[in-house]
Amino acid sequence: MDFFAHFKIWVLTLCLVFQSGYGFYLPGSYPHNYGIGDTLSVKVNSITSIETEIPFSYYSLPFCKPLEGVKDSAENLGEVLMGDRIENSPYKFKMHTNETDIFLCRTDPLSGDHFKLLKKRIDEMYQVNLILDNLPAIRYAKKESYFLRWTGYPLGIKVKDAYYVFNHLKFTVLVHKYEEANVARVMGTGDGSELIPTVGSGGSELPGYMVVGFEVVPCSVMHDAQSVKNLKPYEKYPSPIKCDPTTVAMLVKENEPIVFTYEVTFEESDIKWPSRWDAYLKMEGSKVHWFSILNSLMVITFLAGIVLVIFLRTVRRDLTRYEELDKEAQAQMNEELSGWKLVVGDVFRAPTNSGLLCVMVGDGVQILGMAVVTVMFAALGFMSPASRGTLIIGMLIFYMILGIAAGYVAVRLWRTIGCGDKKGWVSVSWKVACCFPGIAFFILTTLNFLLWGSHSTGAIPFSLFVVLIFMWFCISVPLTLVGGYFGAKAPHIEYPVRTNQIPREIPAQKYPSWLLVFGAGTLPFGTLFIELFFIMSSIWMGRVYYVFGFLLIVFILLVVVCAEVSLVLTYMHLCVEDWKWWWKSFFASGSVAIYIFLYSVNYLIFELKSLSGPVSEALYLGYSLLMALAIMFAMGSVGFLSSFWFVHYLFSSVKLD
């Protein structure tokens, strides 16, 4: 029931977006309408660092704990896989009530272990991530004439071998006034309406407020630990606190306690609730970046158009010239001229390791379909950053469902290569269901052991491992077998020409053909590499990525260029009488993954200079390798299927017998 309530709100919001003509994402959660004096509770997420990329629990450090005890918030599968651990915190506000000099707690004297750990986390540039009404805390800093934005705030700072902790937080909560007190009741139905606080009773005319911004300024203030010894949480600090973010004073010392305080100010804002995420989504750079990306797209489109035009003209002229000749002239031409006509008896000869090729193409179709559907849903706004984890969940669901397509394509290709033989289709389906998921499971398990050893919240719990294995073997594998069954029932593709019993000898080549194949990946990489920078920055630099509409365009262009490159390479190989095109067509477009992985290494060396420690580097390289393998399977299947269609069309367009 809760799912359908969410779905109806999503559809309603999508319609409103299209009607209004502005807004490009769905808010992803219900609007909460608070009355004056209502309690607002701040939540904490895992502390993170772009230097280690290893998240840790907020309460792994000596912070103040809530009086009611630490409680985990309900998290979905995607949040856990991303390393999020959302818990309650002692920070509490009253709607539209400004408060200053609020005493939070006085910690126990820092033990030797806590003292060393705190210094280590400050050295590693860890950030504290707070959440209010599903909005992450945002921090502004002025540099020269423009403002920089970050989510979260640094744990502390090191100045001349001395460590200082930010122990006073100055919060600013932006609220939007809504005059209709009963708006929440109108927007929620069924069980969902109970989740939305309503303001006042029946016909109350008191205004309601919605949280549309959450800003934080961290300060390091020297507090007198003795003066607050008898203070209780949320009482007034004995003396006024001046928050100056440009100075630091709270020195971290062993066997000394830390006093935490905060203040909060509420400001009314013109920002509407559906637009409250705009401040986070504007973190993606300047207009210069957009101009650079668009310029790159224009160049790549122009080059791809030239390649396509030349290619079509060459093939069309070749076919037209051949068909204009009579049978006797054709026979003479076959004897005198070299080219693709001479490999007619070998062009459809089964390749080596044909079973592996079928499995890789099937897995590639599954990954490609998952990527296309996920990006399309994200571009439509159904995977808003406000709905944490939905992107990962969507990818898993779409991947499992598209196991049907993977099994179908792999088995039908297997039967086509075997000239209609159904024998072995179950084995092929099983291999498809276990090949790429098995590789991914091995890599992720290895990395998970590293995270377990580091006591990171990024480590997948054992119970979740069981759930993932259950999803793999009880959902994904059966769906792949169903697809394989339909592939076995479908008619295989008939070859337009007969294959000779004795294979034709391939003439010596002037250059290594595989060198050209792997070099072909440079053109698809040129389509992707600028957008790849933003994606890598989003994953590893903690920035919000939400230009999925543009990513969809880039992805479609990448698929088109991969298909074109593979077609050209296949035709070139056939022209020099090299009939072993099957694997080469796969790797001609799949080789883009090599350049993506090399780019990842380059990004690690030059952009992530601060990334330290063998565990962090192993995590980065492991995830980059998995991403490159997925792209190789997906783009390789694009190249192979387009080349197979082309070869079949080419040899069925003219009679060569």
Side-chain angles (χ1 to χ4, degrees), residues 260-319:
F260 288 91
T261 55
Y262 71 95
E263 60 185 278
V264 58
T265 303
F266 286 83
E267 294 181 4
E268 292 195 20
S269 171
D270 293 331
I271 300 173
K272 299 287 176 43
W273 187 84
S275 304
R276 64 180 191 159
W277 275 87
D278 288 359
Y280 303 87
L281 305 183
K282 290 176 182 176
M283 295 183 184
E284 284 303 321
S286 63
K287 294 181 181 179
V288 177
H289 292 148
W290 283 104
F291 176 79
S292 177
I293 295 173
L294 291 173
N295 181 63
S296 176
L297 278 174
M298 292 173 63
V299 172
I300 293 299
T301 305
F302 179 71
L303 292 175
I306 292 177
V307 170
L308 186 61
V309 168
I310 294 175
F311 171 66
L312 289 177
R313 288 186 61 187
T314 302
V315 175
R316 188 173 180 180
R317 185 177 64 247
D318 215 352
L319 281 174

Side-chain angles (χ1 to χ4, degrees), residues 16 36 50 81 89 99 166 261 290 356 365 504 512 562 594:
L16 291 174
I36 296 176
I50 61 173
L81 291 175
S89 83
E99 297 179 287
F166 291 115
T261 55
W290 283 104
L356 178 61
V365 168
R504 178 185 179 89
C562 282
I594 298 175

Side-chain angles (χ1 to χ4, degrees), residues 323-561:
E323 289 176 344
E324 287 176 352
L325 301 176
D326 56 26
K327 291 185 178 179
E328 185 177 346
Q330 287 180 4
Q332 183 180 0
M333 184 178 179
N334 281 341
E335 294 178 2
E336 294 178 355
L337 298 178
S338 62
W340 57 270
K341 308 88 164 172
L342 300 181
V343 296
V344 59
D346 300 275
V347 70
F348 289 108
R349 187 178 302 280
T352 56
N353 299 316
S354 57
L356 178 61
L357 179 63
C358 295
V359 169
M360 293 179 71
V361 171
D363 276 331
V365 168
Q366 187 177 10
I367 296 169
L368 180 68
M370 178 268 293
V372 171
V373 177
T374 302
V375 174
M376 285 181 62
F377 269 82
L380 290 173
F382 283 97
M383 295 178 181
S384 164
S387 302
R388 293 180 182 81
T390 53
L391 191 64
I392 301 294
I393 293 175
M395 291 173 66
L396 287 174
I397 292 174
F398 297 142
Y399 182 83
M400 289 188 296
I401 293 175
L402 287 166
I404 298 176
Y408 178 85
V409 171
V411 170
R412 194 172 183 200
L413 180 60
W414 168 260
R415 292 190 60 227
T416 298
I417 293 176
C419 298
D421 187 10
K422 297 182 180 179
K423 185 178 179 182
W425 73 266
V426 176
S427 175
V428 172
S429 299
W430 266 100
K431 291 175 182 176
V432 171
C434 297
C435 179
F436 181 78
I439 295 172
F441 188 80
F442 174 76
I443 293 176
L444 293 177
T445 302
T446 303
L447 299 179
N448 205 57
F449 277 119
L450 297 177
L451 290 170
W452 267 338
S454 302
H455 305 287
S456 169
T457 57
I460 302 174
F462 179 76
S463 58
L464 186 56
F465 255 103
V466 176
V467 172
L468 292 175
I469 293 174
F470 174 83
M471 293 169 63
W472 180 7
F473 286 100
C474 297
I475 301 177
S476 181
V477 171
L479 288 176
T480 307
L481 290 172
V482 169
Y485 172 79
F486 286 117
K489 290 292 184 182
H492 69 282
I493 302 172
E494 296 281 352
Y495 292 148
V497 294
R498 293 193 302 269
T499 301
N500 297 335
Q501 292 184 352
I502 302 175
R504 178 185 179 89
E505 183 179 356
I506 299 175
Q509 306 298 324
K510 296 180 180 179
Y511 52 86
S513 59
W514 283 102
L515 185 63
L516 187 61
V517 167
F518 287 116
T522 54
L523 188 59
F525 178 72
T527 312
L528 185 67
F529 83 98
I530 293 181
E531 190 66 19
L532 189 62
F533 173 80
F534 290 103
I535 296 173
M536 298 290 281
S537 298
S538 170
I539 296 174
W540 300 107
M541 302 292 285
R543 299 174 185 171
V544 179
Y545 183 89
Y546 207 71
V547 284
F548 287 106
F550 191 78
L551 179 62
L552 181 62
I553 298 173
V554 174
F555 191 77
I556 293 172
L557 186 59
L558 174 66
V559 170
V560 172
V561 173

Side-chain angles (χ1 to χ4, degrees), residues 587-598:
F587 286 111
S589 53
S591 61
V592 66
I594 298 175
Y595 300 97
I596 290 176
F597 184 75
L598 293 176

